[in-house]
Amino acid sequence: MAQPDDMLDDEHYPAYTMGRAAEITGASPDFLRRLDEAKLIIPFRSAGGHRRYSRYQLRLAARAREMVDRGTALEAACRIIILEDQLDDALRHNQSYQQQRHADAA
């Protein structure tokens, strides 16, 4: 079983309540619910059904809030962030593949 300190170091651990998440991101709870509806972030649910957010999700929410504040439509902001996240993942996988290929050739 993971120790509490290990869980808090995990950027995907759902450590934040909706109120705290709204405070950290500077967004309203309604905005966070809209991000859930737009499928940008799907919060974890506690046993009581309360939304819980991870640090990773808070970063995405803060980015969406910044984009919306600058005039980007919510749906467009969510799509852009999703595509950026997918691109980052693809670049990491490609770099790993290239490193492994280089190591195999050596």
Side-chain angles (χ1 to χ4, degrees):
M1 178 95 185
Q3 297 299 313
D5 288 345
D6 295 337
M7 291 184 281
L8 292 176
D9 288 340
D10 180 359
E11 74 171 0
H12 296 286
Y13 180 71
Y16 302 96
T17 63
M18 177 176 283
R20 184 69 179 128
E23 182 181 314
I24 290 169
T25 61
S28 68
D30 182 59
F31 184 81
L32 295 174
R33 282 190 286 276
R34 289 175 42 216
L35 294 180
D36 185 5
E37 291 168 7
K39 304 288 189 250
L40 176 63
I41 55 174
I42 299 171
F44 300 91
R45 296 287 182 148
S46 69
H50 300 282
R51 290 174 174 90
R52 305 285 296 190
Y53 297 88
S54 68
R55 285 192 326 258
Y56 173 75
Q57 291 172 322
L58 296 184
R59 280 198 305 277
L60 295 179
R63 175 85 172 109
R65 196 201 98 246
E66 290 170 4
M67 293 177 76
V68 169
D69 286 351
R70 284 185 271 152
T72 305
L74 178 69
E75 294 77 18
C78 291
R79 186 67 182 141
I80 289 166
I81 293 166
I82 289 167
L83 290 171
E84 287 174 342
D85 205 40
Q86 289 173 343
L87 177 59
D88 285 344
D89 280 345
L91 291 172
R92 274 193 302 278
H93 286 296
N94 187 44
Q95 182 180 22
S96 176
Y97 171 76
Q98 293 297 333
Q99 289 172 345
Q100 183 62 43
R101 199 170 133 203
H102 178 71
D104 290 346

